[in-house]
Amino acid sequence: MTPVELSRTVLRAVRRAVDEGELSVVVPVRAVVTPPGPGGCGDYATNIALQLARPAGRSAQQVAEILRPHLTRSEGVADVEITGPGFLNIRLGGGAGASLVREIQRRRDAYGHGDVLAGQIVPLRIPYDIRAEVVADTLVRIVATQGGRAEVHHIHPSRAEPAGTEFSRAEPAATDLSRAEPAGTDLSQAKTAGAQPSRAEPPRIKAPQADPPRPHPQTTTLRPTPAPEDPTPLGPDAARWALLHPASHDRPRISADHLLQRESNPLFRIRYAHARTRALTRNAAALGCTGDPGDVPEDVPGGDELVGALAGYPAVLTQAALHRAPDRLARHLVTTADALLAFQHTVLPLGDEKPSAAHRARLALAEAAGTVLAGGLSLLGISAPDYL
């Protein structure tokens, strides 16, 4: 069961509780399902009980207790446990990992894309600064994964914004900011200062100036902390990583450390993990083995962590788009890469061992991780080489 399918399962449980008179609420459009946080357990967790508590006139714990049996009886759900103020922690039955891998295989680079911003235009206002430019360029792609369309506008440097003002006039990106003559004006016949209009030309009445258009109410002003120095000597990939990996309010670190081929460099770990998935596919082919989705036992090192990271990728993309925070995606790719690097040693047979169904399932999971790593790097504007 994929996160999308589990979200539908949660909503069906709510609908059953409403139909049976146990809850008096409007069934929400969507239910958020994510990997469990600190103190959680199982494969996924949802805050649907906290979301419905106030409309239902009950505590979140009571709502969770009502929904728990409906979820437990759902196909593919092995167990449900309530933790914290009312989080429902769901443990799936057999086939959860296999379904996730099949979903990634089916959607490829579109895995994790949603419709939370479908049909929406997201205006982004940025200063003329290299980090702001890179962040906005990345957000254009991330917002598109959620069905929205980001429009980038530059804040004109000559127009100071009053202190405490959220919005001011912005010029569209790549727009010529010089004053344009009215359409149809012949510039070769421009009048000199003090010249009088000819008798054949009636004096023109100056139309009142209209108020400048106000920005879109959902406009986001991006002002990430500027880089202390020019990052371009690092090269396009390392420079983008240096600007995107830190949170917007953190000052980026511009140094040659981003070029090191070492474990201490998170960008290297991500790209190396992706290259390892490609190498595993090539080596498996030499053994006559191909990936086939299946469940990976819990005792396989890194297996649960890798499944959890892949399952959480859609939620991370959604949050990165909604909060205009590409750093969330960058950090999640580091988490996914670290899980893959811990898992990779279990994928192929060792010694005289013959490839089995277990190896094929692990290979399919590793290949799915490679797909997610490559897709995430592409959204950041960073290449994902097959050889490193």
Side-chain angles (χ1 to χ4, degrees):
M1 185 181 297
T2 66
V4 174
E5 292 169 341
L6 182 56
S7 176
R8 298 193 188 106
T9 299
V10 171
L11 292 179
R12 283 195 293 269
V14 174
R15 190 171 292 107
R16 283 196 295 268
V18 171
D19 292 343
E20 294 178 14
E22 297 173 294
L23 286 177
S24 179
V25 295
V26 175
V27 180
V29 176
R30 62 191 295 264
V32 177
V33 174
T34 62
C41 58
D43 299 303
Y44 296 98
T46 178
N47 65 348
I48 191 69
L50 284 77
Q51 180 182 342
L52 298 178
R54 178 174 292 181
R58 299 170 180 263
S59 69
Q61 282 279 353
Q62 291 174 325
V63 175
E65 289 290 354
I66 291 172
L67 296 178
R68 180 180 178 181
H70 293 288
L71 273 173
T72 304
R73 292 194 295 268
S74 300
E75 184 179 356
V77 175
D79 188 32
V80 179
E81 186 173 338
I82 301 172
T83 61
F87 291 101
L88 288 160
N89 293 254
I90 304 168
R91 183 169 63 84
L92 300 179
S99 296
L100 176 64
V101 171
R102 290 191 188 96
E103 176 75 2
I104 296 173
Q105 288 180 338
R106 182 178 67 85
R107 302 197 64 186
R108 303 297 298 172
D109 291 343
Y111 172 68
H113 293 202
D115 58 1
V116 69
L117 294 175
Q120 296 187 32
I121 296 177
V122 180
L124 303 175
R125 299 173 60 254
I126 62 172
Y128 286 93
D129 170 73
I130 187 170
R131 189 182 186 197
E133 298 275 4
V134 170
V135 169
D137 173 71
T138 304
L139 283 174
V140 168
R141 287 187 290 274
I142 292 178
V143 167
T145 69
Q146 303 306 307
R149 179 165 65 88
E151 294 183 346
V152 182
H153 302 262
H154 284 101
I155 303 170
H156 197 291
S158 65
R159 299 174 185 169
E161 294 189 52
T165 300
E166 175 62 20
F167 303 123
S168 69
R169 282 177 278 178
E171 295 289 347
T175 298
D176 184 358
L177 303 181
S178 59
R179 294 183 181 178
E181 291 292 331
T185 299
D186 185 355
L187 299 182
S188 64
Q189 298 179 1
K191 300 174 180 61
T192 60
Q196 297 296 322
S198 65
R199 293 179 180 177
E201 181 183 357
R204 296 181 181 178
I205 299 176
K206 186 176 181 180
Q209 295 295 320
D211 291 335
R214 297 182 62 83
H216 191 281
Q218 299 300 321
T219 297
T220 299
T221 301
L222 300 175
R223 287 196 184 88
T225 302
E229 56 188 285
D230 183 10
T232 53
L234 296 176
D237 288 334
R240 292 185 72 92
W241 178 263
L243 299 176
L244 294 171
H245 181 238
S248 179
H249 58 271
D250 291 334
R251 185 174 295 279
R253 181 176 53 87
I254 308 301
S255 75
D257 290 346
H258 293 295
L259 301 175
L260 296 177
Q261 306 286 294
R262 294 180 184 173
E263 187 178 353
S264 59
N265 179 3
L267 175 59
F268 170 72
R269 295 206 305 275
I270 296 173
R271 301 175 85 196
Y272 177 67
H274 171 264
R276 285 298 304 148
T277 65
R278 298 298 186 254
L280 289 171
T281 298
R282 293 192 297 269
N283 294 339
L287 297 174
C289 178
T290 57
D292 184 23
D295 287 330
V296 176
E298 295 181 0
D299 58 349
V300 175
D304 280 352
E305 292 78 4
L306 185 54
V307 171
L310 298 181
Y313 181 73
V316 169
L317 270 187
T318 300
Q319 293 304 309
L322 293 177
H323 295 279
R324 322 294 190 246
D327 57 287
R328 298 192 181 202
L329 172 58
R331 289 194 297 272
H332 189 76
L333 293 180
V334 176
T335 300
T336 305
D338 289 344
L340 184 280
L341 293 174
F343 173 77
Q344 62 165 330
H345 307 290
T346 69
V347 174
L348 297 181
L350 299 176
D352 295 332
E353 189 179 8
K354 300 295 183 183
S356 65
H359 295 114
R360 289 190 288 273
R362 296 171 196 171
L363 176 61
L365 179 57
E367 290 172 335
T371 298
V372 169
L373 290 172
L377 285 174
S378 176
L379 291 174
L380 297 178
I382 298 173
S383 64
D386 289 350
Y387 297 86
L388 197 62

